[in-house]
Structure formats: C-alpha cells, structure tokens
Amino acid sequence: MTPVSSHSPLGRSPLRTVQVLGGGNAGSSAHVRSLAAGLVARGVKVTVCAPAEAERTYDFTGAGADHAHVPRSSDPVAVAALRAVCADADLVHAHGLHASFRAVLALGGRRARTPLVVTWHDRAHAEGAQARLVRVLERRVMRAAGVVLGATSDLVDRARLTGARDARLGPVALPGRPRPAAAPDDPDLLRAKTRAELGAVGRPLLIAVGSLDPHRGYDVLLDAARAWRLLDPAPLVVVAGEGPLRGELQRRIEDEELPVALIGRRDDVTDLLAAADLALLPSLREAGRSVLAQGALHARVPLVASATGGIPELVGDGAELVPRGDAEALAEAVSGLLGDPARREALRDRGTRQAATWPTEDETVAQVLSVYDELTRPLPFL
C-alpha cells in the first residue's frame, strides 16, 4: 500500500513542504522532480524553489508542484525571496550544500521553528581559503538541520563528524526518464541509429558522461585511450559533457590522434548508454550516487569505474573497478572486457542483480515522507 502523509486523514490540512534546489546537478534535480511527483501523489503540497532554468529542464510544475524562481545566490535579495516562500511551510527540505545554507539563512538559523531536512547528494570540493569556507558552511548546515539524509554511507559519516544531530542513510532512486514520442519502438533500430550517428559502425563504442572538469579523470581516460588504438578494431570513446577542460582535452585528442570524440552536453544519455558496449567512469572523486553508474547497470551495460568515493558501495560486484588515476589498469580492464564476451555477459548479470537492490522511486518517497511526518507530528500534551 502506498503510504500517505499523516497530515492528510481526518480532515487535517495537507502537509505544506518547500523543496530548495540550487543550480543543481543532474542527480539532485532529477531527484527533486521525482520526489515532488511522489509527494503530490500522496496529498502533500509541494513548492520547489529553484532557478528558472531548472524548471524549464525538469518541469516541476508538470509533476504537480508549484515553482518559485529563487536564484542560486546567498545575497539578501535571494534569501528574502526564499524566506517569503518558506513562511507558510510546515517543513523545508534542501538539497545540496549551497541550497541548504540559503535555507538556513531564510529560516533564521539554528533556532528556526520550521523543521529543516537536508539531503546531501555529494560533497562540495574546494581548495585553500575556499575549502575553509566550505567547511564553515557544512558545519552551519549540519547543526541547523533536524535530519540529514546522506546519499551514501561516507556522506552520513561526514555529516555526523561535521555536527549533524541526526544523520541517516537516504539513498535516492534514479528516476526513469520518459522516452520521446518520436523514438523508434524497436530498441535494436534505435541502437543502430545512435551508433551510426556517432560513427561507431563496425567498432566497439565506449561511453563516458559528465562535465569536463578535472575531478572527472578524463586525462586518465585519454592516457588509457592510447593503448586502445592498438586494438582491432579500435573502439570509439565518446564523452558526453561540457566544461572548462574542453579545449585542453580536444588538443590532446588531435595531437595524439586518439579515438575519442567530445560530443558536448546531451539530453539523450539513456539512448547513448543503450548503444554502448561499455560505460566508463574514470572519476578521481565521486562521493555521491553516480547517475552514470546507475544508468549503466539499469541498462545492462558493462561498467568500468574508479574505486573511489561512493562508487564501490553503489555498484558492489556489478562493475569492474580499477584504482583511481591508474590509466594502465583502466586500459587493461577495458581491453580485457572487449576481448571476452562471456565476461561482459557475466558483468551484465551481476550489474542487474546489484541494481535490483537499489531503492525504487516509490521507496525513496516513502522514506522521505516518514521523516517529514516524524518532524511535523504534533507533540502530545503532558
């Protein structure tokens, strides 16, 4: 049976919640959209505070929520706008460090009467003075939140060390994305079409997805790609994403004649994965629940990933793990899998079993709703 909010029965008014999202990465934004839809279906009133571009991409209003444009900023104007939206809320739920800090400011700090739930999807990475500022923000947020939900065990441990009063494991489901109406009904036809468009006809296709930032480990990926040039046929490595390293990576690809294509930001990652022979995740750090890893295992695409952060906990034995930053190990793992169809099939099966252990969207919503009810349940008279 689908649980409903304890505020709904017996004529009581619906629970009023505000979801606060910053710029938002793909994982947290999709989670908020999924969460909003599930909460609305259970009788909860939801307002999503997020930049207008997030609404255009994720259509929170289409999930039944109200949307309030709040810039990704902690300046007084943005905080005042958020405070106005939160004024009538029974509970505020913030996602990510910067959105959580804005929520703390809007609610008035540690003595706020409105309960605050924080979901920590990933850790902010910074160096030097910026790193010290991040630690200050983390402590402020962790101490103000009634409950902190960490997407991985590492994040839960970090929240406790940083001062969280109540930190719990709160894995988030990978929301399913609807296929465009114009997509072919035959998955084999779509796979062949996608591979042809990418130029991977008659050769293996390897897919990596993520912003072109240093922590993604794409320099390691390019080092490994030098070895794959010797394979027959040489695989094509396609990287979907955009970021500050594009120029540097493109120069290396051209100078070293690497079989790698940078195809920019894409909204058809599901189709790209379905067309791939292998998925690659060479990240140097990955504290949260990798969207690519989840997508690959759900799609039965063998995954080769760095053994870093939350990845081992997420994938278990359902992926081939290599030491982070080790281009030789990455090259050997990929070459071995490409040359051994039986190993690839075994990895697909293990990945499918691992994905079956992850929470569903319905289970994720139910867990969050139980936290909401716990924090908003009226105290008994003594």
Side-chain angles (χ1 to χ4, degrees), residues 311-357:
I311 294 176
E313 177 185 10
L314 177 66
V315 303
D317 67 350
E320 188 91 1
L321 297 178
V322 298
R324 68 172 186 171
D326 191 332
E328 183 177 352
L330 176 61
E332 290 178 357
V334 169
S335 298
L337 284 168
L338 289 178
D340 192 336
R343 275 183 62 195
R344 294 201 301 275
E345 188 60 28
L347 197 57
R348 290 189 187 96
D349 291 340
R350 294 201 302 271
T352 298
R353 289 194 295 270
Q354 179 66 16
T357 69

Side-chain angles (χ1 to χ4, degrees), residues 284-296:
L284 302 179
R285 58 178 176 83
E286 194 83 35
R289 293 172 67 86
S290 164
V291 173
L292 174 65
Q294 293 179 80

Side-chain angles (χ1 to χ4, degrees), residues 23-380:
N25 59 33
S28 59
S29 299
H31 170 62
V32 170
R33 209 278 183 187
S34 170
L35 187 58
L39 291 173
V40 168
R42 290 159 174 80
V44 177
K45 180 174 175 55
V46 178
T47 299
V48 177
C49 293
E53 57 268 25
E55 163 64 15
R56 287 192 292 269
T57 301
Y58 292 94
D59 188 23
F60 304 116
T61 54
D66 294 327
H67 170 253
H69 169 64
V70 176
R72 190 182 188 276
S73 169
S74 296
D75 64 39
V77 174
V79 172
L82 181 57
R83 182 180 297 118
V85 178
C86 295
D88 296 325
D90 296 307
L91 179 142
V92 175
H93 188 166
H95 301 262
L97 176 61
H98 295 287
S100 300
F101 180 65
R102 288 197 296 281
V104 171
L105 294 178
L107 293 175
R110 294 181 61 180
R111 299 183 182 275
R113 297 178 59 183
T114 304
L116 172 64
V117 176
V118 167
T119 291
W120 213 359
H121 296 267
D122 198 351
R123 280 202 66 197
H125 181 73
E127 298 178 355
Q130 189 70 20
R132 289 191 292 273
L133 174 60
V134 165
R135 288 195 294 270
V136 170
L137 297 185
E138 288 177 348
R139 287 195 295 270
R140 181 83 179 271
V141 167
M142 294 301 111
R143 293 170 181 172
V147 172
V148 177
L149 298 174
T152 67
S153 297
D154 285 348
L155 291 172
V156 173
D157 292 341
R158 176 67 185 178
R160 289 171 179 159
L161 289 173
T162 310
R165 292 175 289 169
D166 185 341
R168 312 176 190 181
L169 184 64
V172 298
L174 177 68
R177 303 194 73 172
R179 184 176 295 272
D185 293 331
D186 185 347
D188 291 333
L189 178 61
L190 177 60
R191 186 174 191 270
K193 179 176 180 292
T194 302
R195 292 175 69 95
E197 290 174 349
L198 295 173
V201 176
R203 62 193 299 196
L205 176 62
L206 316 182
I207 294 290
V209 180
S211 59
L212 306 184
D213 289 299
H215 75 275
R216 296 290 183 180
Y218 290 134
D219 56 337
V220 178
L221 178 62
L222 296 192
D223 290 341
R226 287 202 294 262
W228 301 330
R229 292 179 303 184
L230 304 177
L231 299 178
D232 186 20
L236 173 64
V237 183
V238 169
V239 179
E242 198 53 81
L245 293 185
R246 168 176 274 277
E248 176 183 329
L249 296 173
Q250 188 62 49
R251 283 191 295 273
R252 277 199 61 187
I253 292 168
E254 295 171 359
D255 292 345
E256 301 174 32
E257 299 181 347
L258 301 175
V260 180
L262 306 179
I263 61 173
R265 188 177 290 109
R266 299 285 290 247
D267 58 6
D268 60 345
V269 170
T270 299
D271 294 339
L272 295 177
L273 278 176
D277 296 288
L278 296 177
L280 307 180
L281 184 60
S283 297
L284 302 179
R285 58 178 176 83
E286 194 83 35
R289 293 172 67 86
S290 164
V291 173
L292 174 65
Q294 293 179 80
L297 269 59
H298 274 304
R300 287 182 56 82
V301 178
L303 172 69
V304 181
S306 299
T308 186
I311 294 176
E313 177 185 10
L314 177 66
V315 303
D317 67 350
E320 188 91 1
L321 297 178
V322 298
R324 68 172 186 171
D326 191 332
E328 183 177 352
L330 176 61
E332 290 178 357
V334 169
S335 298
L337 284 168
L338 289 178
D340 192 336
R343 275 183 62 195
R344 294 201 301 275
E345 188 60 28
L347 197 57
R348 290 189 187 96
D349 291 340
R350 294 201 302 271
T352 298
R353 289 194 295 270
Q354 179 66 16
T357 69
W358 297 336
T360 64
E361 289 184 78
D362 193 65
E363 290 167 342
T364 298
V365 173
Q367 180 195 19
V368 168
L369 188 57
S370 70
V371 172
Y372 290 1
D373 284 347
E374 179 184 329
L375 292 176
T376 58
R377 187 179 299 122
L379 294 175

